[in-house]
């Protein structure tokens, strides 16, 4: 498959790393933007090359990933000449499918996708809309490809990805507390990291089980886990997560208005 990337930021690089780990038969062409990242990928993978211009990426590709920042997307995309046989896969969070169809016309197929950086390790869930077999075939080997039914559902998945930084800040809060209580940083950080990796692994092993059931399983009546969970619940931590995600979804919808 001839794949092109307009924009070579962190998410684009993660997709390329994951794809190249699975199949080096893809011919991948990168835009010159973010030259250091593009040059590094081309140096590491023999099937990756850097084009001189964004238009040259399109000319050399059949499936084109649109991975530019929302702030510059309009100027970049309207300057390009798409072919009718192009399939555009947008990784741009805050633009609608209708808008993308307009700026990529006459491209025959347009898909929105929301991958996360762990696709590089082939452990990333990627939601996409509308369903398309090519997109599923590309992302399924990188973790899990999730076909969505409508754009509202896509907003919810996109909002869910906004929790990634908070996850790491949660880990930092635990580690920093341990350090403040006399534990060396080089002991606290790997301990917390491995604990969270192990718990994350249990999510996969317990596929099909409700998260609430796992939360109940990991606490004992009158025990330490129950005490912390009750305290955080009383402080509104978990209800505030819902409020934060509501705000993200509203932001995404407003951006497309």
């Amino acid at each position: 498959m001839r794949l092109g990337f307009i924009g070579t930021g962190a998410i684009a690089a993660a997709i390329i790393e994951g794809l190249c780990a699975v199949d080096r038969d893809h011919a991948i062409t990168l835009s010159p933007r973010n030259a250091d990242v593009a040059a590094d990928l081309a140096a590491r993978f023999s099937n990756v090359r850097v084009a001189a211009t964004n238009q040259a990426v399109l000319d050399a590709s059949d499936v084109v990933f649109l991975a530019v920042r929302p702030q510059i997307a309009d100027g970049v995309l309207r300057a390009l000449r798409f072919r009718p046989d192009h399939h555009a896969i947008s990784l741009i969070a805050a633009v609608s499918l209708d808008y993308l169809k307009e700026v990529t016309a006459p491209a025959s197929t347009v898909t929105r996708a929301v991958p996360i950086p762990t696709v590089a390790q082939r452990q990333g869930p990627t939601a996409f809309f509308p369903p398309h077999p090519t997109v599923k075939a590309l992302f399924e080997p990188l973790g899990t490809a999730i076909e969505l039914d409508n754009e509202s559902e896509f907003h919810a998945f996109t909002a869910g990805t906004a929790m990634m930084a908070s996850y790491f800040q949660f880990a930092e809060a635990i580690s920093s507390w341990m350090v403040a209580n006399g534990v060396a940083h080089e002991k606290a950080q790997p301990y917390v990291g491995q604990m969270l990796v192990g718990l994350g692994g249990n999510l996969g092993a317990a596929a099909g089980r409700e998260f609430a059931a796992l939360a109940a399983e990991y606490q004992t009546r009158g025990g330490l886990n129950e005490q912390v969970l009750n305290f955080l619940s009383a402080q509104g931590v978990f209800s505030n997560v819902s409020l934060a995600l509501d705000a993200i979804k509203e932001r995404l919808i407003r951006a497309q208005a």
Side-chain angles (χ1 to χ4, degrees):
M1 197 177 299
R2 299 195 308 164
L3 308 177
F5 285 79
I6 304 296
T8 48
I11 291 296
I15 294 171
I16 293 162
E17 289 188 22
L19 289 173
C20 289
V22 173
D23 187 353
R24 294 288 183 93
D25 289 337
H26 295 308
I28 300 176
T29 306
L30 308 182
S31 65
R33 190 174 182 87
N34 209 335
D36 290 343
V37 173
D40 174 68
L41 290 166
R44 287 193 288 136
F45 303 115
S46 59
N47 58 319
V48 176
R49 71 178 187 90
V50 183
T53 64
N54 286 337
Q55 186 59 51
V57 173
L58 261 67
D59 295 343
S61 307
D62 302 311
V63 177
V64 184
F65 289 84
L66 310 178
V68 295
R69 291 180 291 110
Q71 298 90 329
I72 65 170
D74 194 67
V76 171
L77 299 181
R78 289 189 187 278
L80 298 175
R81 300 183 304 278
F82 289 83
R83 300 191 310 267
D85 63 310
H86 271 135
H87 182 164
I89 301 176
S90 173
L91 312 180
I92 308 168
V95 294
S96 70
L97 188 64
D98 286 343
Y99 164 82
L100 289 165
K101 288 179 177 178
E102 175 200 342
V103 296
T104 63
S108 59
T109 308
V110 182
T111 307
R112 299 186 69 189
V114 56
I116 65 173
T118 53
V119 293
Q121 292 81 42
R122 302 182 303 287
Q123 295 180 354
T126 300
F128 63 97
F129 169 77
H132 195 281
T134 296
V135 183
K136 185 171 184 177
L138 285 169
F139 282 110
E140 192 70 41
L142 307 189
T144 305
I146 305 169
E147 297 176 314
L148 304 182
D149 296 327
N150 54 65
E151 208 154 22
S152 178
E153 198 174 30
F154 187 85
H155 291 325
F157 275 83
T158 303
T161 68
M163 292 300 299
M164 290 188 291
S166 297
Y167 172 85
F168 290 111
Q169 191 60 45
F170 180 75
E172 171 61 23
I174 302 170
S175 177
S176 294
W177 182 90
M178 293 175 69
V179 170
N181 281 268
V183 178
H185 178 269
E186 59 270 22
K187 293 181 181 178
Q189 182 123 345
Y191 171 79
V192 173
Q194 188 61 56
M195 177 176 68
L196 294 178
V197 167
L199 291 172
N202 281 343
L203 288 176
R209 296 187 59 191
E210 296 294 327
F211 294 151
L214 291 171
E217 181 179 312
Y218 274 82
Q219 59 181 299
T220 303
R221 186 177 297 278
L224 306 181
N225 274 273
E226 183 190 62
Q227 179 177 333
V228 172
L229 179 60
N230 288 343
F231 177 83
L232 294 178
S233 297
Q235 295 297 312
V237 170
F238 303 112
S239 58
N240 282 336
V241 168
S242 294
L243 292 176
L245 293 176
D246 284 342
I248 293 295
K249 185 175 180 181
E250 289 172 10
R251 176 181 171 181
L252 292 168
I253 294 170
R254 285 198 309 271
Q256 296 185 175

